[in-house]
């Protein structure tokens, strides 16, 4: 079970501390909240007053058999009703505003925070888990803050007001009715505990179903090639059947709960009719007062039900608050120091005027590294010096540490020990944004954003002209892609670039990297999805573009890196061989054996 799921099951405290963390999201809307609460109190007071009009009508018109003063009574009654409708309408509108505004702000804040986190956070947390924090949790918290506060004000004030009025009108009958409250509350507590437990089970099963659904869609190709449709269908059906059984069980308890509340209301009404009828028959209470007690006996059951449910929800909502708070409190494992941020700015407020130029001298100095979620060392006491303008090729078996090496260079992860220097300075002495703005990174699995070709290219250079985009696309032999599509550079690429082939996506991502005019190129299997003819064109073009720039090329096709200035043969986090292609072939070591396996050189001995 993932660690975050274990933590969520352990929550037992009421979220008062978590509520303090939500205060910044409520503070900007303090005026709306005050107005909402005042109108809520007013609406509650008017709900209490309305039955008193009924009492007055019965006592002064019906019982007395006269219509004197009916016009004035009607006018006042209509005015009260209109005021009640207006107060409720405005307060509901303002509650909706709070819900939407707070939810929006929480989503924006969490999304912005995610942009500052390092790769390790995304390695350790699934997309579904993060998506739930940003979307589901913020929606639930925003709704609970707005409607919970509004409903709480109305229900507490209505219940207190009703009890006060009943005691003023007839305290003996009021005490008689209130005898039902502890019994009703005890039953409500029992049912709510059952419902909270079942609701938590439903949410957990729903998370599993969502995960199954996501795997079934994103892994559709793998499912079909492995012919496991029946297995996936059976697994999904088992989860949905568990969801059905648990939901039906929860529905049964909810039905019993509502029936109990209805029964309690009927009992209260029966007590009023019985005891109040006796008192009225004795002439100790007017018929209008009895009608008021009947209205209050029915009306007070809903606030009691809400209060019990709200106390249960406080425990339930804690999971959402704590999960959101944990996300917002998660610090990046790769973060600039306050001094660096002060000088260079951050991702959202860069101080580009203070950015020095980057030339491209790179040095790994006694670097050791293991991933934050592991203990096995990938590199130990690793040293490497790469002068400016050097084209470095990195080869080795899968898992040798090739991608880790360039990820450290790009400061996606921090070294566990040692230093990485660029232009003679530790990369931690300058901002990550400064470094990333000088690196062109093309990976094996390219990602395009929804939008047009031009929009994707302009992520690298927002003010790029059409001529600049055309030159970048031509440099990687991709100029025919916009021409083939109906709207040229305004052609849509689809979600994640789904309207393009993998090779076309790779070419556009390559052109995007070139358009940013980086001082350091990192190509991680960048031509693996491209045919050999196009690959040769890209090599010819990029060879010119990389002149004077430092470049790191990870490749499994050794034919693509024969012209590199230096080839590093990496094994288990160590450089076991280095040199040019000719030098390494002449050495007849690990590189030679790897090269021979790829090309099956005839007549060569092992």
């Amino acid at each position: 079970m993932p660690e975050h799921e274990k933590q969520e099951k352990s929550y037992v405290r009421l979220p008062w501390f978590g509520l303090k963390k939500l205060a910044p999201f409520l503070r900007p809307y303090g005026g709306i909240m005050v107005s909402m609460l005042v109108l809520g109190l007013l609406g509650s007071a008017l709900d209490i007053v309305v039955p008193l009009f009924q009492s007055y009508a019965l006592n002064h018109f019906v019982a007395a058999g006269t219509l004197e003063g009916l016009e004035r009574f009607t006018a006042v009654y209509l005015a009260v009703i209109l005021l009640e409708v207006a107060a409720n309408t405005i307060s509901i509108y303002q509650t909706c505003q709070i819900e939407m505004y707070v939810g929006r702000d929480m989503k924006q804040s969490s999304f912005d925070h995610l942009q500052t986190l390092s790769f390790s956070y995304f390695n350790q947390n699934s997309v579904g888990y993060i998506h739930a924090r940003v979307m589901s949790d913020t929606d639930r918290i925003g709704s609970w803050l707005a409607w919970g506060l509004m409903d709480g004000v109305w229900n507490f004030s209505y219940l207190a007001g009703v009890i006060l009025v009943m005691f003023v009108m007839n305290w003996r009958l009021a005490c008689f009715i209130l005898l039902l409250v502890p019994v009703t509350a005890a039953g409500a507590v029992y049912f709510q505990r059952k419902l909270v437990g079942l609701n938590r089970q439903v949410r957990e099963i729903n998370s599993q179903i969502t995960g199954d659904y996501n795997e079934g869609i994103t892994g559709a190709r793998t499912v079909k090639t492995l012919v496991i449709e029946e297995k996936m269908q059976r697994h999904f059906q088992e989860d949905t059947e568990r969801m059905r059984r648990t939901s039906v069980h929860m529905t049964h308890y909810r039905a019993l709960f509502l029936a109990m509340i209805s029964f309690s209301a009927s009992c209260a009404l029966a007590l009023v009719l019985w005891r109040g009828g006796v008192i009225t028959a004795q002439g100790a209470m007017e018929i209008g007062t009895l009608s008021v007690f009947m209205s209050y006996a029915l009306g007070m059951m809903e606030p009691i039900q809400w209060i019990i449910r709200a106390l249960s929800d406080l425990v339930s909502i804690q999971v959402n608050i704590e999960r959101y708070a944990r996300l917002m409190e998660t610090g990046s494992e790769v973060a600039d120091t306050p001094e660096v941020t002060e000088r260079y700015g951050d991702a959202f407020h860069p101080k580009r005027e203070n950015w020095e130029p980057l030339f491209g001298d790179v040095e790994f100095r006694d670097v050791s590294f293991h991933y934050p979620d592991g203990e096995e060392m990938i590199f130990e006491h690793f040293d490497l010096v790469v002068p400016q303008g050097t084209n470095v090729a990195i080869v080795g078996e899968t898992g040798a540490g090739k991608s880790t090496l360039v990820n450290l260079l790009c400061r996606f992860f921090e070294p566990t020990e040692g230093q990485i220097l660029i232009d003679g300075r530790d990369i931690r002495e300058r901002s990550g944004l400064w470094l990333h703005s000088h690196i062109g990174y093309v990976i094996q699995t390219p990602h395009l954003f929804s939008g047009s070709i031009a929009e994707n290219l302009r992520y690298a250079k927002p003010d790029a002209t059409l001529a600049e985009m055309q030159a970048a696309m031509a440099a990687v032999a991709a100029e025919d892609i916009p021409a083939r599509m109906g709207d040229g550079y305004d052609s849509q690429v689809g979600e994640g670039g789904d309207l393009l082939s993998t090779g076309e996506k790779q070419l556009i991502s390559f052109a995007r990297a070139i358009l940013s005019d980086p001082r350091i190129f990192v190509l991680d299997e960048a031509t693996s999805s491209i045919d050999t003819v196009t690959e040769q064109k890209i090599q010819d073009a990029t060879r010119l573009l990389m002149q004077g720039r430092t470049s790191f090329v990870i490749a499994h096709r050794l034919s693509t890196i024969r012209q590199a200035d230096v080839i590093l043969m990496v094994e288990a986090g160590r450089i076991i061989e280095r040199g040019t292609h000719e030098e390494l072939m002449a050495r007849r070591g690990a590189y030679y054996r790897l090269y021979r396996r790829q090309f099956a050189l005839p007549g060569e001995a092992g």
Side-chain angles (χ1 to χ4, degrees), residues 439-460:
I439 293 178
Y441 198 150
V442 184
I443 59 177
Q444 183 177 3
T445 53
H447 177 79
L448 297 184
F449 298 94
S450 299
S452 66
I453 296 175
E455 288 171 336
N456 272 276
L457 292 173
R458 286 190 173 118
Y459 277 109

PDB file of all heavy atoms in Angstrom, residues 439-460:
ATOM      1  N   ILE A 439      19.350  25.230 -21.621  1.00  0.00           N
ATOM      2  CA  ILE A 439      19.462  23.823 -22.005  1.00  0.00           C
ATOM      3  C   ILE A 439      18.344  23.471 -22.975  1.00  0.00           C
ATOM      4  O   ILE A 439      17.173  23.760 -22.736  1.00  0.00           O
ATOM      5  CB  ILE A 439      19.392  22.898 -20.763  1.00  0.00           C
ATOM      6  CG1 ILE A 439      20.622  23.112 -19.881  1.00  0.00           C
ATOM      7  CG2 ILE A 439      19.308  21.434 -21.183  1.00  0.00           C
ATOM      8  CD1 ILE A 439      20.617  22.281 -18.617  1.00  0.00           C
ATOM      9  N   GLY A 440      18.717  22.830 -24.066  1.00  0.00           N
ATOM     10  CA  GLY A 440      17.744  22.262 -24.994  1.00  0.00           C
ATOM     11  C   GLY A 440      17.689  20.764 -24.772  1.00  0.00           C
ATOM     12  O   GLY A 440      18.670  20.062 -25.022  1.00  0.00           O
ATOM     13  N   TYR A 441      16.562  20.278 -24.273  1.00  0.00           N
ATOM     14  CA  TYR A 441      16.446  18.877 -23.870  1.00  0.00           C
ATOM     15  C   TYR A 441      15.415  18.189 -24.766  1.00  0.00           C
ATOM     16  O   TYR A 441      14.258  18.568 -24.808  1.00  0.00           O
ATOM     17  CB  TYR A 441      15.998  18.815 -22.403  1.00  0.00           C
ATOM     18  CG  TYR A 441      16.248  17.484 -21.712  1.00  0.00           C
ATOM     19  CD1 TYR A 441      16.499  17.433 -20.352  1.00  0.00           C
ATOM     20  CD2 TYR A 441      16.203  16.280 -22.397  1.00  0.00           C
ATOM     21  CE1 TYR A 441      16.718  16.222 -19.685  1.00  0.00           C
ATOM     22  CE2 TYR A 441      16.417  15.074 -21.763  1.00  0.00           C
ATOM     23  CZ  TYR A 441      16.669  15.052 -20.409  1.00  0.00           C
ATOM     24  OH  TYR A 441      16.884  13.858 -19.770  1.00  0.00           O
ATOM     25  N   VAL A 442      15.847  17.147 -25.470  1.00  0.00           N
ATOM     26  CA  VAL A 442      14.947  16.358 -26.307  1.00  0.00           C
ATOM     27  C   VAL A 442      14.999  14.922 -25.803  1.00  0.00           C
ATOM     28  O   VAL A 442      16.075  14.319 -25.756  1.00  0.00           O
ATOM     29  CB  VAL A 442      15.335  16.408 -27.796  1.00  0.00           C
ATOM     30  CG1 VAL A 442      14.306  15.660 -28.637  1.00  0.00           C
ATOM     31  CG2 VAL A 442      15.449  17.854 -28.264  1.00  0.00           C
ATOM     32  N   ILE A 443      13.846  14.387 -25.396  1.00  0.00           N
ATOM     33  CA  ILE A 443      13.817  13.066 -24.790  1.00  0.00           C
ATOM     34  C   ILE A 443      13.254  12.032 -25.766  1.00  0.00           C
ATOM     35  O   ILE A 443      12.733  12.366 -26.829  1.00  0.00           O
ATOM     36  CB  ILE A 443      12.986  13.073 -23.490  1.00  0.00           C
ATOM     37  CG1 ILE A 443      11.553  13.520 -23.772  1.00  0.00           C
ATOM     38  CG2 ILE A 443      13.632  13.969 -22.451  1.00  0.00           C
ATOM     39  CD1 ILE A 443      10.645  13.478 -22.556  1.00  0.00           C
ATOM     40  N   GLN A 444      13.345  10.783 -25.365  1.00  0.00           N
ATOM     41  CA  GLN A 444      12.920   9.687 -26.217  1.00  0.00           C
ATOM     42  C   GLN A 444      11.418   9.685 -26.436  1.00  0.00           C
ATOM     43  O   GLN A 444      10.938   9.348 -27.511  1.00  0.00           O
ATOM     44  CB  GLN A 444      13.353   8.365 -25.583  1.00  0.00           C
ATOM     45  CG  GLN A 444      13.021   7.130 -26.417  1.00  0.00           C
ATOM     46  CD  GLN A 444      13.539   5.869 -25.767  1.00  0.00           C
ATOM     47  OE1 GLN A 444      14.091   5.910 -24.677  1.00  0.00           O
ATOM     48  NE2 GLN A 444      13.367   4.737 -26.445  1.00  0.00           N
ATOM     49  N   THR A 445      10.669  10.049 -25.403  1.00  0.00           N
ATOM     50  CA  THR A 445       9.206  10.084 -25.512  1.00  0.00           C
ATOM     51  C   THR A 445       8.760  11.544 -25.509  1.00  0.00           C
ATOM     52  O   THR A 445       8.549  12.128 -24.445  1.00  0.00           O
ATOM     53  CB  THR A 445       8.553   9.330 -24.340  1.00  0.00           C
ATOM     54  OG1 THR A 445       9.072   9.841 -23.102  1.00  0.00           O
ATOM     55  CG2 THR A 445       8.873   7.850 -24.430  1.00  0.00           C
ATOM     56  N   PRO A 446       8.637  12.163 -26.670  1.00  0.00           N
ATOM     57  CA  PRO A 446       8.349  13.600 -26.737  1.00  0.00           C
ATOM     58  C   PRO A 446       6.952  13.914 -26.232  1.00  0.00           C
ATOM     59  O   PRO A 446       6.038  13.088 -26.312  1.00  0.00           O
ATOM     60  CB  PRO A 446       8.476  13.914 -28.233  1.00  0.00           C
ATOM     61  CG  PRO A 446       8.132  12.617 -28.906  1.00  0.00           C
ATOM     62  CD  PRO A 446       8.678  11.541 -28.008  1.00  0.00           C
ATOM     63  N   HIS A 447       6.800  15.113 -25.712  1.00  0.00           N
ATOM     64  CA  HIS A 447       5.480  15.576 -25.266  1.00  0.00           C
ATOM     65  C   HIS A 447       5.157  16.881 -25.971  1.00  0.00           C
ATOM     66  O   HIS A 447       5.941  17.833 -25.946  1.00  0.00           O
ATOM     67  CB  HIS A 447       5.452  15.798 -23.759  1.00  0.00           C
ATOM     68  CG  HIS A 447       4.142  16.331 -23.282  1.00  0.00           C
ATOM     69  ND1 HIS A 447       3.025  15.527 -23.098  1.00  0.00           N
ATOM     70  CD2 HIS A 447       3.744  17.599 -22.973  1.00  0.00           C
ATOM     71  CE1 HIS A 447       2.019  16.265 -22.699  1.00  0.00           C
ATOM     72  NE2 HIS A 447       2.411  17.517 -22.614  1.00  0.00           N
ATOM     73  N   LEU A 448       3.997  16.903 -26.606  1.00  0.00           N
ATOM     74  CA  LEU A 448       3.484  18.140 -27.186  1.00  0.00           C
ATOM     75  C   LEU A 448       2.248  18.550 -26.415  1.00  0.00           C
ATOM     76  O   LEU A 448       1.475  17.708 -25.946  1.00  0.00           O
ATOM     77  CB  LEU A 448       3.134  17.948 -28.668  1.00  0.00           C
ATOM     78  CG  LEU A 448       4.290  17.591 -29.607  1.00  0.00           C
ATOM     79  CD1 LEU A 448       3.778  17.529 -31.043  1.00  0.00           C
ATOM     80  CD2 LEU A 448       5.436  18.584 -29.505  1.00  0.00           C
ATOM     81  N   PHE A 449       2.053  19.856 -26.286  1.00  0.00           N
ATOM     82  CA  PHE A 449       0.887  20.379 -25.599  1.00  0.00           C
ATOM     83  C   PHE A 449      -0.275  20.506 -26.580  1.00  0.00           C
ATOM     84  O   PHE A 449      -0.069  20.679 -27.788  1.00  0.00           O
ATOM     85  CB  PHE A 449       1.194  21.746 -24.982  1.00  0.00           C
ATOM     86  CG  PHE A 449       2.271  21.705 -23.943  1.00  0.00           C
ATOM     87  CD1 PHE A 449       3.588  21.957 -24.282  1.00  0.00           C
ATOM     88  CD2 PHE A 449       1.977  21.414 -22.622  1.00  0.00           C
ATOM     89  CE1 PHE A 449       4.595  21.917 -23.328  1.00  0.00           C
ATOM     90  CE2 PHE A 449       2.968  21.375 -21.656  1.00  0.00           C
ATOM     91  CZ  PHE A 449       4.276  21.621 -22.006  1.00  0.00           C
ATOM     92  N   SER A 450      -1.490  20.427 -26.068  1.00  0.00           N
ATOM     93  CA  SER A 450      -2.651  20.635 -26.927  1.00  0.00           C
ATOM     94  C   SER A 450      -2.573  22.039 -27.514  1.00  0.00           C
ATOM     95  O   SER A 450      -2.258  23.000 -26.823  1.00  0.00           O
ATOM     96  CB  SER A 450      -3.945  20.465 -26.123  1.00  0.00           C
ATOM     97  OG  SER A 450      -4.038  19.163 -25.600  1.00  0.00           O
ATOM     98  N   GLY A 451      -2.859  22.140 -28.785  1.00  0.00           N
ATOM     99  CA  GLY A 451      -2.751  23.425 -29.472  1.00  0.00           C
ATOM    100  C   GLY A 451      -2.184  23.219 -30.858  1.00  0.00           C
ATOM    101  O   GLY A 451      -2.191  22.111 -31.411  1.00  0.00           O
ATOM    102  N   SER A 452      -1.688  24.287 -31.430  1.00  0.00           N
ATOM    103  CA  SER A 452      -1.162  24.223 -32.795  1.00  0.00           C
ATOM    104  C   SER A 452       0.332  23.943 -32.787  1.00  0.00           C
ATOM    105  O   SER A 452       1.002  23.977 -31.746  1.00  0.00           O
ATOM    106  CB  SER A 452      -1.430  25.549 -33.516  1.00  0.00           C
ATOM    107  OG  SER A 452      -0.678  26.597 -32.908  1.00  0.00           O
ATOM    108  N   ILE A 453       0.863  23.678 -33.978  1.00  0.00           N
ATOM    109  CA  ILE A 453       2.313  23.495 -34.122  1.00  0.00           C
ATOM    110  C   ILE A 453       3.037  24.757 -33.684  1.00  0.00           C
ATOM    111  O   ILE A 453       4.033  24.700 -32.951  1.00  0.00           O
ATOM    112  CB  ILE A 453       2.659  23.137 -35.582  1.00  0.00           C
ATOM    113  CG1 ILE A 453       2.046  21.790 -35.969  1.00  0.00           C
ATOM    114  CG2 ILE A 453       4.175  23.129 -35.785  1.00  0.00           C
ATOM    115  CD1 ILE A 453       2.240  21.416 -37.420  1.00  0.00           C
ATOM    116  N   ALA A 454       2.530  25.913 -34.131  1.00  0.00           N
ATOM    117  CA  ALA A 454       3.177  27.182 -33.785  1.00  0.00           C
ATOM    118  C   ALA A 454       3.181  27.409 -32.278  1.00  0.00           C
ATOM    119  O   ALA A 454       4.175  27.854 -31.703  1.00  0.00           O
ATOM    120  CB  ALA A 454       2.467  28.342 -34.495  1.00  0.00           C
ATOM    121  N   GLU A 455       2.060  27.108 -31.627  1.00  0.00           N
ATOM    122  CA  GLU A 455       1.996  27.298 -30.173  1.00  0.00           C
ATOM    123  C   GLU A 455       3.001  26.410 -29.457  1.00  0.00           C
ATOM    124  O   GLU A 455       3.636  26.826 -28.480  1.00  0.00           O
ATOM    125  CB  GLU A 455       0.574  27.006 -29.679  1.00  0.00           C
ATOM    126  CG  GLU A 455      -0.431  28.085 -30.065  1.00  0.00           C
ATOM    127  CD  GLU A 455      -1.859  27.680 -29.757  1.00  0.00           C
ATOM    128  OE1 GLU A 455      -2.137  26.463 -29.692  1.00  0.00           O
ATOM    129  OE2 GLU A 455      -2.704  28.578 -29.608  1.00  0.00           O
ATOM    130  N   ASN A 456       3.174  25.188 -29.926  1.00  0.00           N
ATOM    131  CA  ASN A 456       4.148  24.290 -29.313  1.00  0.00           C
ATOM    132  C   ASN A 456       5.573  24.782 -29.517  1.00  0.00           C
ATOM    133  O   ASN A 456       6.401  24.701 -28.612  1.00  0.00           O
ATOM    134  CB  ASN A 456       3.989  22.873 -29.872  1.00  0.00           C
ATOM    135  CG  ASN A 456       2.980  22.052 -29.096  1.00  0.00           C
ATOM    136  OD1 ASN A 456       3.309  21.463 -28.076  1.00  0.00           O
ATOM    137  ND2 ASN A 456       1.740  22.045 -29.576  1.00  0.00           N
ATOM    138  N   LEU A 457       5.868  25.303 -30.695  1.00  0.00           N
ATOM    139  CA  LEU A 457       7.211  25.828 -30.949  1.00  0.00           C
ATOM    140  C   LEU A 457       7.477  27.068 -30.104  1.00  0.00           C
ATOM    141  O   LEU A 457       8.594  27.265 -29.606  1.00  0.00           O
ATOM    142  CB  LEU A 457       7.374  26.151 -32.433  1.00  0.00           C
ATOM    143  CG  LEU A 457       7.385  24.941 -33.385  1.00  0.00           C
ATOM    144  CD1 LEU A 457       7.374  25.412 -34.836  1.00  0.00           C
ATOM    145  CD2 LEU A 457       8.591  24.057 -33.122  1.00  0.00           C
ATOM    146  N   ARG A 458       6.463  27.881 -29.902  1.00  0.00           N
ATOM    147  CA  ARG A 458       6.658  29.136 -29.165  1.00  0.00           C
ATOM    148  C   ARG A 458       6.780  28.929 -27.659  1.00  0.00           C
ATOM    149  O   ARG A 458       7.041  29.878 -26.932  1.00  0.00           O
ATOM    150  CB  ARG A 458       5.523  30.106 -29.480  1.00  0.00           C
ATOM    151  CG  ARG A 458       5.634  30.710 -30.890  1.00  0.00           C
ATOM    152  CD  ARG A 458       4.644  31.838 -31.109  1.00  0.00           C
ATOM    153  NE  ARG A 458       4.868  32.494 -32.385  1.00  0.00           N
ATOM    154  CZ  ARG A 458       3.988  32.548 -33.385  1.00  0.00           C
ATOM    155  NH1 ARG A 458       2.804  31.965 -33.239  1.00  0.00           N
ATOM    156  NH2 ARG A 458       4.272  33.162 -34.506  1.00  0.00           N
ATOM    157  N   TYR A 459       6.579  27.693 -27.177  1.00  0.00           N
ATOM    158  CA  TYR A 459       6.897  27.437 -25.771  1.00  0.00           C
ATOM    159  C   TYR A 459       8.389  27.652 -25.532  1.00  0.00           C
ATOM    160  O   TYR A 459       8.804  28.012 -24.429  1.00  0.00           O
ATOM    161  CB  TYR A 459       6.499  26.019 -25.375  1.00  0.00           C
ATOM    162  CG  TYR A 459       5.050  25.879 -25.001  1.00  0.00           C
ATOM    163  CD1 TYR A 459       4.154  25.211 -25.826  1.00  0.00           C
ATOM    164  CD2 TYR A 459       4.564  26.423 -23.815  1.00  0.00           C
ATOM    165  CE1 TYR A 459       2.814  25.082 -25.485  1.00  0.00           C
ATOM    166  CE2 TYR A 459       3.223  26.302 -23.469  1.00  0.00           C
ATOM    167  CZ  TYR A 459       2.360  25.637 -24.310  1.00  0.00           C
ATOM    168  OH  TYR A 459       1.028  25.517 -23.965  1.00  0.00           O
ATOM    169  N   ALA A 460       9.190  27.424 -26.571  1.00  0.00           N
ATOM    170  CA  ALA A 460      10.635  27.631 -26.438  1.00  0.00           C
ATOM    171  C   ALA A 460      11.014  29.095 -26.605  1.00  0.00           C
ATOM    172  O   ALA A 460      11.947  29.581 -25.964  1.00  0.00           O
ATOM    173  CB  ALA A 460      11.388  26.801 -27.483  1.00  0.00           C
TER     174      ALA A 460
END
